Each structure stands twice: as structure tokens, then as C-alpha cells.
Amino acid sequence: MKTWTIYLSGEIHTDWRERIESGAREAELPVHFDAPVTDHDASDDCGAVILGHEQDKFWYDHKGAKVNAIRTRTLIADADIVVVRFGDKYKQWNAAFDAGMAAALGKSLIVQHDPALNHPLKEIDAAALATAETPEQVVNILKYVITGALNR
């Protein structure tokens, strides 16, 4: 049986990734999960720490974004399914960018967010093959897609 590669993109302040991974384990799905670096400080500081400090915050962030993009672009390109979670806090431009990149690459895209974000995310939802509200719904989508089993 095929092992599916699932890329989990999006907000890093809740346990949604762990809930999806746990649900997939419980369902015994043949999946491998990848994600961006979720240590916020490491993600912000990687460019300057590795390539040299920048006084100007723009260039500091620019270096970090480019180093992180090596991981993100590679893992999204290698993914069978991309799941992008939008939380209710913060402006998650990186998650929106990942969703757009996945759509442009023709990746199967699942978006997860609270219904309160339906309007601001309408274009992203339109590009997705499924829009879920909970990690458990994402797990049920994965279970159905991978095994054909439908929880009734």
C-alpha cells in the first residue's frame, strides 16, 4: 500500500497538527507527515544565525524567509496532500502563500479553519478540494481518501 506524504502548513499556536497525526495513527493510515519549522524563534532567526546578523529588520526577516522557503518549497512539492490550517489569531500570510503554491502545483489541498473565516478565506477555500472546520474532519477526509472507508 502506498505511503501518503501529507504536508501540514499553517498556524503554530494550537495542537491541530498533533490531533491530525494522532488521529491518523489511531486509524492506522499509511501516512508520513511533514511541516515547516514550528519553533517560532528558530524560524524567525535562522537566516541571521546561519548567514550573519542584519541590523535592518527587513533584511533580517528576508534572510529567514528565504532559508525557510527551501524547506517549504521542497516539502510542498513532494507532498501528496497539503493541509493548511488558518487560526483565528495573527495574519497568516505564509499559510495563504503555501495554499496558493500548493494550488499552483496542482496539489490536493485541504484547508481547515473556523467558519468565522469563511469570507476572508473565500478565494483560498475555492482553490481547495475540501474545507474542514476541525482536525478530526481532516483525519476523516484522509481516512476516506486513502482507504475508501466512510465513517457514518
Side-chain angles (χ1 to χ4, degrees):
M1 179 178 269
K2 171 185 173 61
T3 298
W4 295 65
T5 300
I6 316 297
Y7 185 77
L8 301 175
S9 173
E11 67 97 357
I12 62 171
H13 303 285
T14 63
D15 67 348
W16 71 276
R17 282 183 181 84
E18 292 80 10
R19 289 167 59 190
I20 290 173
E21 291 173 6
S22 174
R25 271 192 310 278
E26 288 174 19
E28 298 180 352
L29 297 179
V31 295
H32 167 79
F33 290 102
D34 285 319
V37 172
T38 58
D39 176 328
H40 200 192
D41 291 335
S43 178
D44 284 351
D45 298 340
C46 66
V49 168
I50 295 168
L51 300 172
H53 186 72
E54 293 288 340
Q55 293 297 337
D56 186 317
K57 184 68 170 145
F58 174 85
W59 293 112
Y60 188 98
D61 288 344
H62 187 78
K63 279 183 177 179
K66 291 177 98 173
V67 170
N68 283 313
I70 296 168
R71 178 185 181 94
T72 302
R73 288 181 186 185
T74 301
L75 295 177
I76 288 175
D78 290 346
D80 296 302
I81 299 172
V82 176
V83 178
V84 181
R85 157 82 178 146
F86 291 89
D88 59 350
K89 294 181 182 178
Y90 313 105
K91 292 180 175 90
Q92 297 159 55
W93 309 125
N94 57 330
F97 187 86
D98 289 355
M101 191 165 127
L105 291 172
K107 298 295 175 175
S108 294
L109 175 62
I110 300 170
V111 175
Q112 188 221 319
H113 61 76
D114 186 89
L117 296 176
N118 285 347
H119 180 72
L121 293 175
K122 65 186 176 294
E123 287 83 7
I124 292 171
D125 288 347
L129 296 178
T131 301
E133 295 176 10
T134 67
E136 292 72 26
Q137 288 177 325
V138 173
V139 171
N140 286 330
I141 292 167
L142 296 175
K143 182 176 180 182
Y144 176 75
V145 168
I146 293 169
T147 71
L150 180 61
N151 290 348
R152 295 190 185 263

